[in-house]
Amino acid sequence: MHTAHSTLSLAGLTLHHITFDPTTFTDADLIWLPHHAELSHAGRKRKADHLAGRIAAAHALPDHAVPGIGPSGEPLWPEGISGSITHSGTQALAVVTPEPGALIGIDCEKILAKNDARDIKEGIVDAQEEAVLSRSGYPFALALTLAFSAKESLFKALFPQVQAYMAFDSARVTMLDNETLTLALTRPLTGFDAGTAFTLHWLRQGEQTITLLSRSPADALSRW
């Protein structure tokens, strides 16, 4: 599969960015993955997306290791590493930190069309959150995309601790400005009280948004 690697910086971390051409993907490309057999029954798109994400992760890891697949589909990072992977369209991103137990989650999303944003908003935010997004000054479609993406990043970051599915109403947007977005839990989750707040960084890249949550182990533990 044809790929290109570049890097971005967000919240003091290096994001490893892969653009890829899924039309050039072949099943033979998966042999590079130690866990390729686990993908044998996946669809072509799933295989190409997964491969691109693992290529991004290999660039991010100092020894170019390839994270395996956990029982819920989550990446299994090498000992002593916390990380996260995302893919959207023809790009994938990975970020790691040499801090075991850190909370880290990344997500990339195509900015919603204006009409689509209005049609699906009730599945992503409640009326209180919609008011926060409207007051931000950003076009509603961009603000809603950021809310969606930030919740995805939060859920990825918390999953290693929580080990449970989290719906969009598990966290509420309380602030959105030109660099950060804050989410607060609406219910207790394993190790985290209701109301626990998380600040995520975001950036816009063309017609895509990227959101990132990164909290050191000491900061994460202080919330337990």
Side-chain angles (χ1 to χ4, degrees):
M1 183 169 71
H2 296 165
T3 65
H5 171 247
S6 59
T7 59
L8 304 166
S9 180
L10 183 60
L13 294 176
T14 299
L15 314 184
H16 289 265
H17 178 240
I18 295 292
T19 55
F20 63 101
D21 181 357
T23 66
T24 64
F25 169 81
T26 68
D27 281 344
D29 295 325
L30 294 180
I31 301 232
W32 174 74
L33 300 172
H35 54 272
H36 62 86
E38 298 178 54
L39 298 167
S40 59
H41 299 297
R44 178 183 174 88
K45 181 180 185 302
R46 164 65 176 155
K47 290 176 179 177
D49 288 348
H50 181 90
L51 178 62
R54 289 318 194 265
I55 292 172
H59 279 286
L61 290 166
D63 57 358
H64 302 298
V66 178
I69 305 175
S72 298
E74 74 277 17
L76 297 178
W77 298 96
E79 184 176 356
I81 295 287
S82 299
S84 186
I85 299 171
T86 185
H87 45 74
S88 175
T90 58
Q91 63 180 320
L93 290 150
V95 59
V96 302
T97 181
E99 297 181 285
L103 300 181
I104 187 164
I106 191 171
D107 186 71
C108 179
E109 300 291 339
K110 182 179 180 181
I111 298 172
L112 291 162
K114 181 178 179 179
N115 290 340
D116 291 341
R118 293 296 176 185
D119 288 342
I120 69 173
K121 65 180 181 179
E122 292 180 0
I124 301 170
V125 296
D126 60 21
Q128 181 178 334
E129 292 174 284
E130 184 177 355
V132 172
L133 299 183
S134 297
R135 289 195 300 268
S136 72
Y138 290 105
F140 184 74
L142 171 59
L144 187 67
T145 303
L146 288 170
F148 178 97
S149 182
K151 291 184 181 187
E152 289 286 333
S153 290
L154 174 65
F155 300 158
K156 289 180 184 181
L158 295 188
F159 185 82
Q161 302 292 342
V162 174
Q163 291 290 308
Y165 171 76
M166 290 161 275
F168 284 109
D169 63 358
S170 298
R172 176 176 290 124
V173 180
T174 60
M175 186 276 291
L176 170 61
D177 65 20
N178 63 351
E179 293 184 349
T180 62
L181 184 152
T182 301
L183 296 172
L185 296 182
T186 59
R187 57 178 59 89
L189 297 171
T190 304
F192 300 94
D193 296 331
T196 301
F198 301 89
T199 297
L200 297 92
H201 287 77
W202 69 271
L203 62 81
R204 177 174 180 172
Q205 186 185 39
E207 292 307 306
Q208 304 274 342
T209 63
I210 300 169
T211 58
L212 174 66
L213 170 62
S214 176
R215 179 180 286 182
S216 70
D219 290 337
L221 287 169
S222 70
R223 297 287 183 171
W224 295 4

